[in-house]
Amino acid sequence: MSDESLLQELAELRQKIAYHNYLYHTLDQPEISDFEYDQLFNRLKAIEAEHPELITPDSPTQKIGGQISEKFKKVTHPAPILSLANGFGSQDVLAWYERILRLDPRVAQTDFLLEPKLDGLTVVLHYDNGIFSLGATRGDGIVGEDITANLRTIPSLPLRIPVLPTGSPAPQHIVFRGEAFITKADFLALNAELERRGEKTYLNPRNTAAGSLRQLDPAITASRPLKLFLYQVVESSDPLPQTQSGILDYIASFGLPVNPLRWHAKNIDEVIQICEKEGLNRHDWPYDADGIVIKINDLQLSNSLGYVGKDPRGSLAYKYPGEEVETTLLDIQVNVGRTGVLTPLAVLEPVSIGGVVVKQATLHNFDFIADKDLRIGDRVLVKRAGEVIPYIVAALKERRDGSQKVYVPPTNCPSCGSQVKRASGEVAWYCLNAACPAQLTRNIENFASRSAMDIAGLGEQTVAQLVQSGLVKNLPDLYRLTKDQLLTLDKFGEKKADNLLAAIQASKSQSLQRLIIGLGIKGIGEVAARKLAQKYGNLDALSHATLDELQQLEGVGPNLAQSIVEWFQLENNQQILRQFRELGLWPVESTSTPVGRLPLTGLTFVVTGTLEGFSREGISKFILANGGKVSESVSSKTSYLVLGANPGSKYDKARQLGVPIISEQQLRELAAP
Ligand code: IVH
């Protein structure tokens, strides 16, 4: 592959992933399955593994840290180093507040602490008997890289605490979390110096900080103007202050660097006021900050709220809008998603925004294009805020020269050619053809994915071949494939055909939970599928479930309930179910309600790491008491890995095998009848 097309693919992958992250985490409206997301992510990881020099700090792999360079030793963090959910504007702050208030009424009484959200590199620092003993990057939040030698070179990082003999005595063991960064002024001076020496300059302070800490030669790190602010205690052998403001003072009492800039808010109105007012000054702050972190000051309350994915509920990052640049709208492409939604995508003349080359922007839907009167060939303003995919702010109409073309949305699906329709009350246009190749392809990919039917050999390419050749027109067709048919396909020999057929047949014995995931009902995840399988026992019973009934189930909200009911209402889907039954794909589970059957019956668990609410023996008893089995080692038969802090090799094994990983809390949810 040429350098240019590789760079382009990288840029596109990163943008797509960032976009889907945004849809999933911020808007809660995913357009693609986890499987499709994983495929994008794995492709990006594969390219980056081959070309580590092309990894950018803002690559999605770096966000969750995916890559762990072989050059540094791995370090398992004593507790997961969590991320933060993002909010844009006061509405998101209020929505967050209301969500957590519903979870715990004590939220109404809490105060908040606000801190600048530094745009640097997260570091985890261990002190044993007051001596700086280990420093690590965040990595994937569970395992990071040992960069002790580099961190030691940071002038403001004391190698021994307390720094002053009058400071608080150091606990026997304490681990801090903070952010390493480079100030704007230092960055400019460093770049000027690099330029003078004829060396490569850096794109922005964050790149520089990250690059400097990942140097193999600590002497280079030492020459970089790195600074550090700490804001969290990850673990300590001593009791800790109960508030975030207390923690900051406590950290400072050892002589460790803490950001002097912070705000205290008595209530959520003050929080919003501060975010709105202080943000106006952020360009005067000495370092780059892309937002303000809002933290519930009462740490016991904050921790008790738990987390969603990698984001603690007790904190929110209030992000400021990003930089705007001008470029040309070259074209508008249309993608067809699994549910048939047509999504327009802007193809832009490549332009650098905040050090990242942008070639595409989301256009949301066709109304958006019409509302903004975007024309092909227009000069447009493009904006990028944090990790969100760039979007078009406006067309520069005064710059038109008559060559711009008004965009006409397609009346037919770009994949199958059938007429597109708009659902009443929705802005989205849909391709309603259930046999649309684009939709079908996405659907089969989801069906065959690891968390669903786990059919080995049915990857993206094979699925595309099966759909394009017309051999598979719906999910049940998979089970009707013959060897002769497969042998007509490119790159299919006897062995490959036999293997695929065997894998497809074997999938008939998969659990009901997996089949439910495989159906591709919008919004269904592993825990919800498990609940549904337990409650209804077979697809026929599930297809008769009412909205009310579904909403009674833990983990099933009104949107999911609606989407389940709608899915089963479609005649097409009913036909698919009938065919599954005829083909012998009909997993049945005895339902949880009758006495005698327990919620975890049939499930095998492996536990790793230190748990918060259980001892090792305690959790085994809990699982056994609820009908489950406990095993010591992870295998393909493991139903779930329960993950605690400081996990061992079982965690790596589970990830390798694609075993679902759940938290203590999720285990409790599974067991809740
Ligand atoms: S608190 C559970 N405070 O922003 C605690 N994070 O986008 C979560 N960050 O990964 C982090 N400044 O590396 C916190 N004052 C601050 C921060 C901060 C920068 C980073 C942090 C986090 C990222 C999330």
Side-chain angles (χ1 to χ4, degrees), residues 101-114:
L101 183 60
R102 272 201 297 276
L103 284 173
D104 193 327
R106 285 180 296 164
V107 166
Q109 263 83 51
T110 190
D111 54 340
F112 300 86
L113 197 80
L114 284 72

Side-chain angles (χ1 to χ4, degrees), residues 451 513-514 526 638-642 654 657-662:
S451 55
Q513 175 192 8
R514 284 174 172 274
E526 267 156 25
T638 310
S639 316
Y640 292 98
L641 179 80
V642 184
L657 293 177
V659 169
I661 297 172
I662 58 172

Side-chain angles (χ1 to χ4, degrees), residues 7 64 74 101 148 189 207 209 220 300 407 412 417 443 518 528 531:
L7 281 174
I64 63 151
K74 292 178 188 179
L101 183 60
T148 314
N207 277 358
I220 300 181
Q300 194 279 326
Y407 175 74
N412 298 82
N443 240 319
K531 285 270 164 203

